Amino acid sequence: PYTTLFRSVKIKHGPIVKYGMPGMTMMFKVVDVALLKGLQKGSQVDFNIDNSSGGFVITDIVSVEE
């Protein structure tokens, strides 16, 4: 679900090679809650993350056509 109150989103993702992360389901913080506007539960998305502050934060997220 997309949680605007806590500025986070739960995403099931494939491997993220840049960070040596296997595919999994996890919660990500979002740099700006406005990025979640219009997204629905179960939407397929493309997203970018940043880990420079010691935690993964989504910096961009968009819904994609399946």
Side-chain angles (χ1 to χ4, degrees), residues 4 6 12 37 39 41 49 54 64:
T4 57
F6 298 109
K12 179 179 179 182
K37 186 175 181 177
L39 296 179
K41 181 178 180 180
I49 55 175
V64 296

Side-chain angles (χ1 to χ4, degrees), residues 23-48:
M24 65 181 81
T25 301
M26 62 185 287
M27 296 296 293
F28 288 94
K29 292 181 181 177
V30 181
V31 70
D32 183 351
V33 71
L35 293 173
L36 302 179
K37 186 175 181 177
L39 296 179
Q40 301 295 319
K41 181 178 180 180
S43 294
Q44 184 171 348
V45 297
D46 279 337
F47 64 101
N48 293 316

